Amino acid sequence: MEFLTSIRNQSGRDYLIWKYPKEDFNTNSVLTVNPGEEAILIKNGDFVHTFTSGRYELQTENYPFLSDLRNLLSNGSSTFTCSVFFVNVHQSTEILWGTSSPIQLRDPVQGIATNVRARGSYRVQVVDGECLLRNLIGASSIGITGSSLDSYFSQQFQQIIKSEITKALINSNKEVLGMCANLGELASDIEPHLQEILKTYGIKLEFFAISGMDIPEGDPNRMILEQAYAKKQELHILGESYGRVKGTEILTNFSKNEGTGTMAAAGFGINACNDLSKSIIELVSNNNANSNRLDIDKLKQLKIMLDEKLITQADYDSVKNEILTKIANL
């Protein structure tokens, strides 16, 4: 049987907790615990001692508890048997996460059913190694990495993340695609719920981020929602409401009709939208040179605008009376 005299962490950076592969040591062994580490000794399931960073000569004179671990003599030296776990108390490397299946919901603005998937990363820090060993790993385990930690908490995390994203989207009264611009705020709302789970295991959630949230490529309603969102963003950039921009499109076509050159000359178009109803009344009333047919066409166009709620009934009646009076007096 080989009895070791030097004990140190030989795991990689990804390990949160790593179990030393040997369990038989001389009492003259030297334990080296690097900065950012702890070493926990366990015997028969009992936690014996926790060492912080430093160099330790494991002699009974220095650590009387070792006398309880001694089991035999080898070459004149007493030996002891125990499990040694090295705990990484630094922040972990980033651990990636992603929704295992799309989140099904209805776009709060468009009312269209769709699916959403999300992804991101988080970092943790072990703040109580004994708690983590006792409640999650167990003395028989070889240790745990960030990826295996994510696998362990995957179902709980998925349930919370999906639930919180769904609630946030529904309560936001914003398009699904619009919420993708508020991922930082959404991540901040989710983080405390995940922290509540981890703290039971002696783990602190140091960082949680949502790096992306989108509608899957195969979603049949994706293009509809993207077009609707793009149109709204376009209107936002123009600084006009939907009604004003729609009115501009109708009246721009109206100004292109034969005989309406006076309207275009008067600047009837996008720049006139700040006082749409007033412009319609003034410009149509001043167009006395048009024929009866053109007057009727104008009246039809104004009726369309009335139906689109771009002008009031009073505006329409005023212009209509002028046109009818003009025709009657011809």
Side-chain angles (χ1 to χ4, degrees):
M1 179 180 295
E2 180 183 5
F3 294 91
L4 300 180
T5 58
S6 178
I7 312 167
R8 63 173 61 244
N9 188 356
Q10 299 171 359
S11 71
R13 178 75 172 84
D14 291 338
Y15 272 90
L16 299 177
I17 290 186
W18 178 76
K19 182 181 180 181
Y20 196 83
K22 304 294 183 178
E23 295 187 351
D24 296 304
F25 310 100
N26 289 324
T27 51
N28 292 321
S29 298
V30 174
L31 172 65
T32 303
V33 184
N34 295 321
E37 293 179 354
E38 290 179 347
I40 300 175
L41 273 60
I42 298 178
K43 177 71 172 181
N44 297 327
D46 295 326
F47 290 85
V48 178
H49 192 76
T50 298
F51 294 89
T52 57
S53 61
R55 183 179 181 277
Y56 303 92
E57 295 181 2
L58 300 181
Q59 299 176 352
T60 54
E61 292 82 359
N62 298 332
Y63 305 103
F65 63 83
L66 292 175
S67 60
D68 297 328
L69 305 180
R70 287 184 300 180
N71 49 13
L72 52 85
L73 295 177
S74 176
N75 295 326
S77 299
S78 62
T79 65
F80 64 93
T81 300
C82 69
S83 300
V84 179
F85 285 86
F86 287 92
V87 182
N88 185 348
V89 295
H90 281 303
Q91 281 192 30
S92 69
T93 56
E94 280 196 328
I95 304 169
L96 301 180
W97 66 268
T99 48
S100 56
S101 59
I103 306 168
Q104 298 180 343
L105 48 83
R106 190 172 294 275
D107 188 286
V109 175
Q110 304 299 333
I112 299 174
T114 188
N115 297 297
V116 173
R117 60 187 178 187
R119 58 193 175 277
S121 62
Y122 62 94
R123 291 195 300 269
V124 298
Q125 183 176 9
V126 179
V127 293
D128 189 338
E130 289 189 14
C131 180
L132 181 57
L133 277 168
R134 183 180 295 109
N135 296 321
L136 179 61
I137 298 177
S140 61
S141 172
I142 62 172
I144 186 169
T145 63
S147 58
S148 56
L149 181 76
D150 183 63
S151 297
Y152 184 85
F153 291 108
S154 176
Q155 292 302 316
Q156 290 175 284
F157 277 22
Q158 292 277 331
Q159 182 178 358
I160 290 175
I161 290 171
K162 289 182 177 182
S163 174
E164 291 302 313
I165 287 178
T166 301
K167 287 192 294 184
L169 287 171
I170 293 174
N171 296 332
S172 70
N173 294 320
K174 297 179 181 178
E175 290 96 339
V176 169
L177 294 172
M179 277 297 291
C180 293
N182 299 319
L183 299 183
E185 179 180 344
L186 183 55
S188 297
D189 293 337
I190 294 174
E191 185 173 338
H193 299 283
L194 304 182
Q195 177 63 76
E196 194 67 23
I197 295 173
L198 292 175
K199 74 176 185 180
T200 307
Y201 298 88
I203 302 172
K204 181 181 179 182
L205 182 61
E206 291 288 353
F207 169 79
F208 176 80
I210 303 175
S211 60
M213 188 169 69
D214 53 38
I215 300 172
E217 292 284 350
D219 192 308
N221 290 325
R222 173 174 172 162
M223 182 173 293
I224 298 174
L225 292 171
E226 286 180 342
Q227 290 174 344
Y229 183 68
K231 183 65 175 177
K232 183 174 180 180
Q233 292 301 104
E234 178 185 348
L235 300 182
H236 177 72
I237 293 172
L238 289 173
E240 300 290 346
S241 66
Y242 173 82
R244 288 185 178 273
V245 174
K246 184 68 175 176
T248 299
E249 294 173 356
I250 294 173
L251 293 174
T252 299
N253 293 332
F254 177 37
S255 68
K256 293 178 181 178
N257 291 336
E258 184 181 355
T260 58
T262 55
M263 282 188 152
F268 190 82
I270 294 178
N271 292 331
C273 286
N274 289 334
D275 200 350
L276 192 57
S277 298
K278 181 178 178 181
S279 297
I280 294 168
I281 296 170
E282 292 177 352
L283 295 173
V284 173
S285 297
N286 291 334
N287 195 22
N288 294 323
N290 293 331
S291 65
N292 291 346
R293 181 180 61 82
L294 293 176
D295 284 331
I296 293 173
D297 287 342
K298 294 171 189 174
L299 194 59
K300 289 180 180 178
Q301 293 287 344
L302 290 171
K303 181 62 170 65
I304 293 174
M305 297 183 69
L306 176 64
D307 293 340
E308 292 280 347
K309 301 187 185 303
L310 301 174
I311 62 174
T312 65
Q313 183 68 48
D315 293 336
Y316 174 77
D317 290 341
S318 174
V319 177
K320 181 183 72 172
N321 291 336
E322 286 190 27
I323 292 176
L324 293 178
T325 300
K326 175 185 173 183
I327 294 175
N329 290 334
L330 290 176

